[in-house]
Amino acid sequence: MTCEQKADDMEMVCDLLDKLVLRQLLLIEDKMRCELNIETSINNGCIHLAKSRYIMGQNSVSKERLPTESSAEFSASVTCDTILEDNIKQLKIKTETGSSVINPLNWFGVLVPQNLHKAKDIFKNSVNYVVECVNIQLQIIENINNIEALKKYKNIILNRST
């Protein structure tokens, strides 16, 4: 391998490393934004739950109304599937429909306040943010692996020159 080829390879590897590091910074920024969205959603959902508890009374909206181990079994309303997208494992939300899906608002009575409906919608939306955050984290891990592989290749190029 000539010095000119080594220099070209080194330049190409350094350019790729620069691009991967910039992508890593963008992914970290996206992940932080996603985490803030999760935090905001959960806070808003909790505020609406507190308002519902105030309207209905502290015993009407409490943990005693939630199902226990001895309750009838039911399916989750939202599940995740793993898919392969751009050679990166990603999660995709799959909403369950059918007779086995139970509306959790029914645990608190038939006529529930609008705030409880809002809280349910907000918590449902926060699941989307969580999945988005996990997908970004998977991309960050893949990016780190690519950076490490390029660093090893760069060291191999450097060691050939000696």
Side-chain angles (χ1 to χ4, degrees):
M1 187 177 266
T2 66
C3 287
E4 190 175 302
Q5 286 176 331
K6 288 179 189 175
D8 288 343
D9 282 350
M10 187 62 76
E11 184 178 336
M12 181 185 68
V13 168
C14 289
D15 285 345
L16 284 173
L17 277 171
D18 289 345
K19 289 177 182 177
L20 285 175
V21 169
L22 284 173
R23 175 162 168 68
Q24 188 76 354
L25 290 172
L26 291 173
L27 287 171
I28 290 171
E29 182 182 6
D30 288 345
K31 185 170 187 269
M32 290 174 62
R33 180 189 40 78
C34 234
E35 289 172 347
L36 285 173
N37 288 339
I38 292 169
E39 182 181 354
T40 303
S41 291
I42 290 175
N43 286 340
N44 289 339
C46 288
I47 288 171
H48 285 290
L49 279 178
K51 288 179 182 178
S52 298
R53 188 172 183 171
Y54 178 76
I55 292 168
M56 294 181 69
Q58 66 183 19
N59 294 330
S60 294
V61 181
S62 66
K63 65 181 180 180
E64 285 78 25
R65 296 287 189 136
L66 298 176
T68 61
E69 290 179 9
S70 60
S71 300
E73 290 205 15
F74 58 91
S75 298
S77 59
V78 175
T79 58
C80 290
D81 286 337
T82 305
I83 59 170
L84 198 62
E85 189 174 290
D86 297 331
N87 290 330
I88 300 172
K89 191 182 346 178
Q90 298 283 296
L91 294 179
K92 183 179 179 186
I93 293 179
K94 185 172 83 173
T95 305
E96 298 290 327
T97 56
S99 61
S100 62
V101 177
I102 293 178
N103 185 358
L105 294 183
N106 294 340
W107 298 335
F108 304 102
V110 179
L111 298 173
V112 294
Q114 194 63 32
N115 291 63
L116 206 51
H117 288 281
K118 287 180 185 175
K120 176 189 168 192
D121 293 338
I122 290 170
F123 285 128
K124 233 180 189 180
N125 193 32
S126 62
V127 171
N128 294 330
Y129 289 132
V130 169
V131 170
E132 182 183 349
C133 194
V134 168
N135 287 335
I136 292 171
Q137 181 65 38
L138 290 171
Q139 290 176 19
I140 287 172
I141 291 169
E142 182 67 26
N143 207 39
I144 288 172
N145 293 338
N146 291 339
I147 289 171
E148 291 301 318
L150 277 174
K151 283 182 180 179
K152 287 179 185 176
Y153 183 66
K154 184 178 175 183
N155 285 335
I156 289 171
I157 293 172
L158 288 173
N159 291 335
R160 284 187 198 160
S161 63
T162 56

